[in-house]
Amino acid sequence: MSTDQVRLERRAGQRFDLHLPVSVRLPQTACEGCGSTQNLSARGALLHTDLRMAEGDPVGVTLVMPSMITLAENMRVRCHGKVLRVLSAQGTGSVVAVRVENYEYLPETDRASSISSRIGALHEHPHEEHGSLASK
């Protein structure tokens, strides 16, 4: 076995390959943008974002944690952390590894519910009617 085949896993928590939409904020410049997660754990995330970031930048990320992680219902969460690594920076966007330092649960708002329902509507198939076919 070569050294390329053996890699030491340094992650302490389970990492989930989840592609979730996120809102990203750089508090020191008040710049805001959007993006998505590539993977997520309790201590960090790999993000694709339309904001240009640098290693060490403080960052705020807001997302809806799915029930598979919360083991309850979906919850809106705001995470505060720092950019650990910039894996790619092209144009005005970045792919960054973020270390989560703390987080807070956010109350569900009418606006968030409205956005969720619009996103859900995008996934409906035009040939399907609303409601379950089994109940008809």
Side-chain angles (χ1 to χ4, degrees):
M1 219 181 243
S2 74
T3 56
D4 290 337
Q5 292 172 322
V6 177
R7 292 187 179 205
L8 179 63
E9 180 60 52
R10 296 183 303 173
R11 295 182 185 121
Q14 182 177 2
R15 190 159 293 268
F16 297 92
D17 288 325
L18 292 172
H19 302 277
L20 302 171
V22 295
S23 170
V24 181
R25 186 168 196 278
L26 299 173
Q28 64 193 34
T29 62
C31 289
E32 294 186 22
C34 59
S36 63
T37 62
Q38 180 173 323
N39 58 54
L40 186 66
S41 75
R43 295 184 180 179
L46 182 61
L47 304 176
H48 296 257
T49 178
D50 59 356
L51 292 177
R52 187 120 167 134
M53 294 189 217
E55 188 174 313
D57 281 350
V59 63
V61 179
T62 304
L63 66 138
V64 176
M65 284 285 199
S67 59
M68 69 181 287
I69 293 178
T70 65
L71 301 178
E73 58 190 40
N74 292 351
M75 292 184 204
R76 269 184 4 123
V77 177
R78 180 178 299 131
C79 305
H80 303 278
K82 286 202 183 296
V83 175
L84 286 180
R85 286 182 301 287
V86 177
L87 304 174
S88 172
Q90 299 173 355
T92 59
S94 302
V95 178
V96 296
V98 174
R99 180 183 68 227
V100 173
E101 296 173 339
N102 60 60
Y103 59 91
E104 59 186 308
Y105 293 104
L106 301 174
E108 188 66 29
T109 64
D110 290 339
R111 181 176 179 267
S113 297
S114 171
I115 291 169
S116 296
S117 64
R118 283 186 282 165
I119 291 171
L122 294 175
H123 297 287
E124 291 178 5
H125 299 285
H127 64 276
E128 292 178 356
E129 293 183 31
H130 293 287
S132 170
L133 293 177
S135 64
K136 292 183 178 184

